[in-house]
Amino acid sequence: MRVAKTGLQPADPPLDTNDPSTPIGAAAAAAVEALTMERRRPFPRPTRRRIITVANQKGGVGKTTTTVNLATALAMHGCRVLCIDLDPQGNASTALGVDHRSGVPSIYEVLLGDRPLDEVIVRSSEADGLYCAPATIDLAGAEIELVSVVARETRLRRAITGLRQDVDYILVDCPPSLGLLTVNALVAAKELLIPIQCEYYALEGLGQLLRNVELVQAHLNPELRLSTIILTMYDSRTRLADQVVHEVKEHFGSRVLGTTIPRNVRIAEAPSYGRSVLTYDPASRGSLSYLAAAREIAERGFEPNGVGL
């Protein structure tokens, strides 16, 4: 009986995806070039300063993550940006690599000590043209202390009005509550950006936030408008996420950004290194999504006399 030879035949050499002479290599090179050009293309700068408050009293929806990464993306693409950390936890300050230990000049002194906002602003190493007004733990008692202060709801607006620093955008990161700190942020802003996570209970509590916005519009800041909804923590594998996206877009229409922010481990890891996801892992899905969202916000612009919330 003849036994067939079982010797292994020499394998074909592996395809080199970096070789532009191969179809895969050429496609990869074209994709990298397109991505590089997109990342370098500057954003249009606004004709007037845009003040955007990022708020949602529901915790864990991505307020701070959204504030930090949008601010970084805008600054990376030619805009001058100030991020005001109004959350006593100081997570935005951490993510921007800014010192916010107790005793550091902070937004607390601005709200309660009449210290000029310019004196507490610190340059962030995340991008040229990016600045931060940090929050310290002292801010935790600010809501109680503000109760007896005259014109307590307008303290932040007065501070921003007196700002000498030339910036195109001011993004205000709010605590997960509807207290005096959030009210100050709503009174100071012309635009409201609400992050909504693509999960069950996504719209829970949103009605209360919008009622508070209506009260602020009626009594304290008639210029405030709900300009932007951004959908976060999107998981394309679940039907629920698509359902939430559909419901939010159906209700809020064109105010919902076309870009959704996916669940992405790099987004979660970046703050532990004192970084935004755009500098921590520029090629990650999370980074590219926030970059696209920031470009969308910049290119949309803002009409102060827009209708509706």
Side-chain angles (χ1 to χ4, degrees):
M1 184 172 64
R2 295 181 75 177
V3 179
K5 293 183 179 180
T6 58
L8 295 175
Q9 298 299 317
D12 292 331
L15 287 174
D16 183 0
T17 57
N18 294 319
D19 183 358
S21 66
T22 66
I24 294 178
V32 169
E33 183 178 359
L35 177 60
T36 301
M37 292 298 292
E38 172 65 15
R39 293 184 68 88
R40 288 179 178 172
R41 185 161 61 93
F43 293 173
R45 290 174 60 184
T47 55
R48 67 180 76 186
R49 180 185 292 169
R50 294 177 65 179
I51 306 171
I52 305 174
T53 284
V54 183
N56 189 333
Q57 82 272 23
K58 192 174 186 302
V61 301
K63 286 187 301 295
T64 298
T65 300
T66 295
T67 304
V68 165
N69 287 296
L70 289 180
T72 303
L74 289 165
M76 280 180 163
H77 290 78
C79 300
R80 296 182 296 269
V81 185
L82 169 61
C83 179
I84 296 179
D85 191 352
L86 216 58
D87 187 342
Q89 297 177 84
N91 291 335
S93 306
T94 298
L96 292 174
V98 172
D99 185 11
H100 60 101
R101 292 170 297 174
S102 181
V104 169
S106 70
I107 197 68
Y108 171 81
E109 285 81 13
V110 173
L111 293 177
L112 286 150
D114 288 320
R115 190 166 190 166
L117 184 55
D118 291 273
E119 291 186 7
V120 306
I121 290 173
V122 179
R123 185 187 297 272
S124 170
S125 59
E126 286 296 282
D128 290 335
L130 178 58
Y131 304 87
C132 176
T136 64
I137 193 61
D138 301 326
L139 197 59
E143 298 214 359
I144 297 173
E145 296 177 66
L146 279 170
V147 169
S148 60
V149 174
V150 176
R152 56 185 179 268
E153 300 93 349
T154 63
R155 303 290 288 185
L156 183 60
R157 182 167 68 185
R158 288 171 53 197
I160 291 175
T161 301
L163 180 68
R164 297 189 304 273
Q165 182 79 29
D166 183 20
V167 293
D168 301 306
Y169 290 87
I170 297 177
L171 273 66
V172 185
D173 183 37
C174 294
S177 72
L178 293 175
L180 271 173
L181 291 176
T182 299
V183 170
N184 260 269
L186 294 174
V187 172
K190 288 185 170 60
E191 299 180 62
L192 171 63
L193 184 154
I194 303 178
I196 298 177
Q197 84 278 35
C198 298
E199 295 181 355
Y200 196 60
Y201 297 137
L203 303 179
E204 188 180 68
L206 192 57
Q208 182 60 50
L209 172 61
L210 295 180
R211 282 191 291 274
N212 277 35
V213 171
E214 288 176 343
L215 289 172
V216 169
Q217 287 175 319
H219 302 287
L220 297 166
N221 182 12
E223 294 184 325
L224 179 64
R225 294 289 181 271
L226 170 56
S227 64
T228 310
I229 300 281
I230 184 168
L231 292 158
T232 62
M233 305 178 191
Y234 176 74
D235 188 342
S236 59
R237 298 170 299 178
T238 67
R239 185 178 300 174
L240 174 63
D242 288 328
Q243 183 180 344
V244 171
V245 170
H246 174 75
E247 289 182 5
V248 172
K249 287 187 174 180
E250 191 174 64
H251 186 76
F252 292 103
S254 62
R255 286 173 287 194
V256 184
L257 290 184
T259 304
T260 56
I261 308 301
R263 279 199 173 276
N264 181 256
V265 68
R266 295 304 194 191
I267 293 177
E269 288 175 350
S272 64
Y273 292 88
R275 309 281 292 278
S276 68
V277 71
L278 284 99
T279 59
Y280 176 66
D281 189 349
S284 67
R285 287 175 60 234
S287 174
L288 297 176
S289 296
Y290 271 117
L291 175 62
R295 185 177 293 283
E296 199 172 341
I297 289 171
E299 291 180 346
R300 278 184 174 195
F302 174 63
E303 176 51 55
N305 297 318
V307 296
L309 270 177

